[in-house]
Amino acid sequence: MPLHLRFGTDDLLRCRFALSPLCETHAAIRAVRRTDQPAYHLPWLRRVHDTVEELDLAALWLLKPRRGYSPDFLNPPPEANRGTGSAASFDDELDRVRAVDPALARDEIARALAATPGAAESARGLAMLEDPARAVQELADAVERAWKALIAPDWPRLRDLLEADIAHRTRQLAEGGLEELFADLHQELHWRDGTLWIRTNLRETIEQELSGRGVLLVPSVFVWPDMASGFEPPWQPTVIYPARGVGGLWQRPAPGSAKALARLLGANRAAVLGELEEPASTSSLARRLGLAPSSVSAHLSALRDAGLLTSRRARHRVLYERTPLGIALVGGAGRRTDDGAPPEDGAIPDGGTGPDSRTNP
């Protein structure tokens, strides 16, 4: 059944973005247990496998049913960024978890345990319900261990990708409004008549009036193929969605890949395709590459005709960006994973979306 987030006039002006190292930590905790993990995360999974066995995440996993509610207090929506270059620190976010009201924590723990038959009656479940204040601190300790082992070593790389996604989405919002922004955020999310419709696994339809609070949008590397939503009062309404470009995150160029691409396409055409990490115009590419605009225009036309690029008009400019085929050509055939192996069969070249669990990470 769907979750309906109903926008008022004020909410239309309060659709904001944020980065959250805490959110990414929770998504990673889920990811290490997935049986349908996308192949492009396999290098990371291999690297952290032995570490996960030593972390003792059993209490957290008990509160993270595959389909169902997870406690919001464990992953409170972050503060909205004032720009793409800032994010709350993990320590600041974890302090908010540790400071939660034990009564609120107990209510949310009980709701999460109810999603798994027998969990509330288990020794661990009973202990959390009997002493929620202690449970909060122990759960926060487990999240901190997971952050240090699973996310912190890669956070600069992850943050760069997440910031790039926010930059792209911000342009979408500025150029096409909420309709364009929500059009490709996730396949189970739809914008219609001032309402954001999100398909959930709940049995009842939930109607939520935003009442001037707006919606916080948080990109995530590890939430794919799902998204997370449904934060209820007192929490800020939030949608956590898959970031773009995850397919090449753990891959590195193989020796000679740039030369191989140049032999295939020609040096200047390969340079144009390689420069399009983010959408760009003809004049922008010409300045960056030191080529004549007419030459760049011709290369862009050829690449678009070959299915490697798409173009769209943004006010007075035409912006070009790679198609999945173009992304694969630049990042797939000539790349290897961090462990030196080629990408696994079935790897998806860009951050796509898939079935949605509709759970909070």
Side-chain angles (χ1 to χ4, degrees), residues 220-299:
S220 169
V221 168
F222 289 106
V223 76
W224 193 97
D226 306 320
M227 64 179 175
S229 58
F231 292 81
E232 299 174 10
W235 307 107
Q236 166 68 36
T238 301
V239 174
I240 302 171
Y241 64 92
R244 303 168 72 249
V246 175
L249 180 64
W250 308 115
Q251 299 174 20
R252 287 293 175 264
S257 60
K259 292 182 179 179
L261 189 62
R263 288 197 301 270
L264 178 66
L265 299 176
N268 287 342
R269 202 161 290 172
V272 170
L273 186 62
E275 190 68 22
L276 284 169
E277 293 292 342
E278 290 294 326
S281 66
T282 301
S283 58
S284 174
L285 289 167
R287 285 194 302 271
R288 280 145 52 180
L289 295 171
L291 299 174
S294 58
S295 176
V296 172
S297 178
H299 293 318

Side-chain angles (χ1 to χ4, degrees), residues 27-288:
I29 291 169
R30 280 188 178 278
V32 296
R33 297 195 81 193
R34 295 190 70 104
T35 57
D36 59 342
Q37 184 62 237
Y40 47 68
H41 283 327
L42 287 179
W44 174 80
L45 287 168
R46 293 191 189 104
R47 174 155 53 85
V48 303
H49 179 269
D50 292 342
T51 302
V52 170
E53 299 297 318
E54 302 170 358
L55 287 179
D56 186 16
L57 302 176
L60 289 170
W61 283 327
L62 190 63
L63 298 178
K64 295 180 181 293
R66 178 65 182 89
R67 293 191 175 275
Y69 175 81
S70 293
D72 291 334
F73 80 86
L74 281 175
N75 186 23
E79 300 295 330
N81 294 357
R82 296 193 177 277
T84 61
S86 62
S89 73
F90 175 82
D91 289 340
D92 288 344
E93 290 192 290
L94 194 64
D95 285 345
R96 294 179 64 202
V97 176
R98 294 190 185 279
V100 72
D101 181 350
L104 173 62
R106 189 189 188 284
D107 289 344
E108 294 192 354
I109 288 171
R111 182 177 174 187
L113 292 173
T116 302
E121 293 76 31
S122 68
R124 196 181 297 272
L126 289 170
M128 286 192 284
L129 293 172
E130 182 178 344
D131 191 350
R134 179 177 178 178
V136 167
Q137 301 309 315
E138 291 179 347
L139 291 166
D141 288 343
V143 173
E144 185 173 20
R145 292 195 299 271
W147 155 257
K148 291 178 179 178
L150 304 180
I151 298 297
D154 296 305
W155 179 241
R157 185 191 303 187
L158 300 177
R159 183 178 57 205
D160 286 347
L161 186 145
L162 298 174
E163 288 176 347
D165 180 273
I166 289 179
H168 172 77
R169 303 295 182 183
T170 301
R171 285 194 297 270
Q172 282 185 312
L173 181 61
E175 295 166 2
L178 292 176
E179 185 174 9
E180 181 171 339
L181 173 66
F182 291 138
D184 68 342
L185 208 64
H186 195 280
Q187 65 182 17
E188 302 296 350
L189 181 153
H190 304 283
W191 171 255
R192 185 164 69 245
D193 299 329
T195 299
L196 190 60
W197 296 56
I198 304 171
R199 195 176 75 179
T200 75
N201 65 339
L202 301 175
R203 295 182 179 179
E204 71 279 5
T205 297
I206 296 179
E207 307 279 348
Q208 203 176 128
E209 297 288 342
L210 296 179
S211 303
R213 293 173 296 164
V215 168
L216 191 62
L217 300 171
V218 181
S220 169
V221 168
F222 289 106
V223 76
W224 193 97
D226 306 320
M227 64 179 175
S229 58
F231 292 81
E232 299 174 10
W235 307 107
Q236 166 68 36
T238 301
V239 174
I240 302 171
Y241 64 92
R244 303 168 72 249
V246 175
L249 180 64
W250 308 115
Q251 299 174 20
R252 287 293 175 264
S257 60
K259 292 182 179 179
L261 189 62
R263 288 197 301 270
L264 178 66
L265 299 176
N268 287 342
R269 202 161 290 172
V272 170
L273 186 62
E275 190 68 22
L276 284 169
E277 293 292 342
E278 290 294 326
S281 66
T282 301
S283 58
S284 174
L285 289 167
R287 285 194 302 271
R288 280 145 52 180

